[in-house]
Every structure is written in structure tokens, then in C-alpha cells.
């Protein structure tokens, strides 16, 4: 067997000996990522070929206002991981900035489209850029602690945010549980073709309606700060690459 490269989560990628035959990593073409039907809604800014992920991330980092933080227990944890918990922040940016992050060809999902590794690196870049702001907010506003859950000191919060499975995603539900996404007109050829193969079907077609973004730290145990990763999330980067949603 030839050696293989592995994405985060341990999923085998292109064999190393065949890397020259692999497609060059690049942003999607207009045929692969069609935003033309979004122009009618005043969103022609998504068609900017020169806007890189780094520029979009800078907009998020520079303009983000932290709205809240909280600690969440590990629900349905397997034996030995029942004490796991994670930090969750909500930050607010302009809706257009959130739209760019989610739907631009070289936005966050665009980076996952290019490669699971590229998407993973983009997520880490964004969290790293927000880390100081998030930590300062937690110093001033200690996170809410649910019942039967160990507290998270500053070092626990930092470990949770810097761990492998920490992620960034537009906020999906408001405080009352209302869904914050709507069906949209973005057309991504690969995700359209893969709709029948993934558990989430056409969920990739929905887009956030506002500017709230969740930063979810990894689940970590209080005693040793070991990361707990749910089985269904271990190939998250590859799921986003194939299906656009997870």
C-alpha cells in the first residue's frame, strides 16, 4: 500500500505518490460556485474574485463584537467523557461580512470546498485572530455555568479554543430556538451532486439571515484538559468539503 496523507480526523486523502496527479488547490470557478442568482438580492459583492479568505477574516476580526459566552456540557457523552464541556461565544458582525464568510468563493466554506486541510487552517486562522478578544470578554464576563458541570478557568477556555475540534459557524438558532437560516440561491456543483449521499441533504443551500457567528471551543475534560471529540465530528472537514454542511 502506498503512503497516504491524512486530514484532521484521520481520513485518508490522495496517496502521497499520486500528489502530482491531484487537482491544483484553487478557489472554485464561476461554474463550480455560481453566485449569479444572488445578484437580484443585492449581493453582487459575493462575486468579487479578488477577495481572499484572509481579507474576509480580517473584516470579521476587526469588527466583531462579543455578545455572549457560556459553557455547555457534553450531552450524550460516552463512558469516561461525561465531564467534558466546551466554551461557546457568540460574536456579531455586519450581515454582509457574515455572508461573505459563509458564501464567498474564497470564504470559509469556499476554503473547505478547496480542501479539507485548507478549511481547517482557515478556521484556525480565524479563531487565532479572535482569541485575545474572546479571552478579554471572559475575564470581564465569566461564562454561565450549567448545573452539574465543572467551571472553566481562563486556561481551560484557551485550551478549548485552541484545540483541534474548535470551530466557527454562523449562529443557527436564536435564544428562543428559532432557526436563523433561510433557503438561498447559491449553486455549488459538487454539493448539488452529492446531496443524495450525505445525511444533511440540501442543508448546504441555506444561508444565515443575520450577522451572528458562533465560536465553539472543543469539548475538554476538567482534570487533564484532554479533548473529547464526538464520533460524528471526527471527519467534519471532509464532510464540509463534500457536502457544504455538517
Amino acid at each position: 500500500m502506498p503512503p497516504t496523507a491524512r486530514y484532521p480526523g484521520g481520513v485518508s486523502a490522495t496517496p502521497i505518490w499520486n500528489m502530482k496527479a491531484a487537482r491544483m488547490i484553487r478557489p472554485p470557478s464561476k461554474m463550480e460556485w455560481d453566485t449569479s442568482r444572488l445578484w437580484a438580492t443585492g449581493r453582487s459583492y459575493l462575486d468579487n474574485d479578488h477577495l481572499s479568505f484572509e481579507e474576509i477574516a480580517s473584516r470579521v476580526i476587526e469588527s466583531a463584537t462579543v455578545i455572549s459566552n457560556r459553557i455547555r456540557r457534553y450531552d450524550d457523552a460516552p463512558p469516561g467523557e461525561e465531564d467534558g464541556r466546551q466554551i461557546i461565544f457568540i460574536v456579531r458582525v455586519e450581515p454582509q461580512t457574515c455572508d461573505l464568510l459563509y458564501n464567498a468563493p474564497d470564504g470559509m466554506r469556499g476554503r473547505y470546498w478547496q480542501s479539507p486541510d485548507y478549511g481547517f487552517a482557515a478556521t484556525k486562522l480565524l479563531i487565532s485572530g479572535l482569541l485575545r478578544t474572546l479571552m478579554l470578554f471572559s475575564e470581564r464576563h465569566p461564562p454561565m455555568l450549567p448545573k452539574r458541570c465543572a467551571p472553566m478557568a481562563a486556561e481551560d477556555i484557551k485550551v478549548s479554543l485552541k484545540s483541534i475540534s474548535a470551530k466557527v459557524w454562523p449562529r443557527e438558532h436564536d435564544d428562543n430556538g428559532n432557526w436563523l437560516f433561510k433557503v438561498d440561491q447559491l449553486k455549488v456543483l459538487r454539493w448539488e451532486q452529492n446531496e443524495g449521499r450525505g445525511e444533511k441533504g440540501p442543508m448546504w443551500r441555506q444561508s444565515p439571515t443575520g450577522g451572528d457567528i458562533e465560536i465553539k471551543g472543543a469539548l475538554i475534560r476538567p482534570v487533564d484538559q484532554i479533548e473529547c471529540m464526538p464520533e460524528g465530528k471526527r471527519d467534519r472537514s471532509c464532510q464540509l468539503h463534500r457536502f457544504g454542511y455538517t
Side-chain angles (χ1 to χ4, degrees), residues 182-194:
K182 66 177 181 180
V183 176
D184 211 349
Q185 298 298 313
L186 177 68
K187 181 180 174 65
V188 180
L189 187 60
R190 179 196 300 144
W191 300 342
E192 189 175 61
Q193 293 172 341
N194 286 342

Side-chain angles (χ1 to χ4, degrees), residues 57-77:
S58 290
R59 292 190 188 186
V60 173
I61 293 164
E62 292 167 8
S63 66
T65 299
V66 185
I67 301 302
S68 66
N69 61 357
R70 63 188 175 95
I71 297 170
R72 187 169 74 178
R73 296 175 54 203
Y74 189 176
D75 296 324
D76 303 320

Side-chain angles (χ1 to χ4, degrees), residues 61-236:
I61 293 164
E62 292 167 8
S63 66
T65 299
V66 185
I67 301 302
S68 66
N69 61 357
R70 63 188 175 95
I71 297 170
R72 187 169 74 178
R73 296 175 54 203
Y74 189 176
D75 296 324
D76 303 320
E81 298 181 4
E82 296 92 344
D83 56 353
R85 73 272 195 260
Q86 68 187 142
I87 188 71
I88 300 176
F89 291 89
I90 295 175
V91 303
R92 183 165 294 163
V93 297
E94 289 295 325
Q96 179 174 316
T97 303
C98 185
D99 196 19
L100 284 166
L101 182 69
Y102 195 68
N103 287 319
D106 200 31
M108 188 169 62
R109 285 202 301 172
R111 285 290 171 103
Y112 279 107
W113 181 94
Q114 293 169 55
S115 153
D117 278 345
Y118 265 36
F120 178 82
T123 295
K124 294 302 163 190
L125 176 69
L126 189 50
I127 293 175
S128 177
L130 289 167
L131 186 62
R132 183 173 182 274
T133 299
L134 300 176
M135 294 302 298
L136 285 173
F137 184 87
S138 284
E139 287 179 17
R140 296 168 186 156
H141 307 278
M144 294 184 295
L145 185 66
K147 294 180 180 179
R148 301 185 303 279
C149 182
M152 297 186 78
E155 184 59 27
D156 297 316
I157 292 172
K158 184 179 288 188
V159 169
S160 179
L161 290 171
K162 296 179 77 171
S163 293
I164 294 292
S165 59
K167 61 185 179 182
V168 178
W169 199 252
R171 189 182 186 187
E172 294 184 340
H173 297 92
D174 66 16
D175 291 339
N176 296 315
N178 298 309
W179 185 243
L180 297 176
F181 277 49
K182 66 177 181 180
V183 176
D184 211 349
Q185 298 298 313
L186 177 68
K187 181 180 174 65
V188 180
L189 187 60
R190 179 196 300 144
W191 300 342
E192 189 175 61
Q193 293 172 341
N194 286 342
E195 271 187 13
R197 301 171 187 172
E199 294 181 3
K200 299 296 183 178
M203 288 297 293
W204 68 270
R205 296 177 182 269
Q206 299 200 28
S207 292
T209 57
D212 285 0
I213 298 170
E214 283 191 328
I215 294 91
K216 293 185 176 181
L219 290 154
I220 61 169
R221 295 174 53 188
V223 176
D224 47 23
Q225 295 184 333
I226 288 178
E227 182 173 2
C228 308
M229 195 179 299
E231 187 71 31
K233 298 296 185 181
R234 295 183 181 183
D235 64 342
R236 178 177 182 270

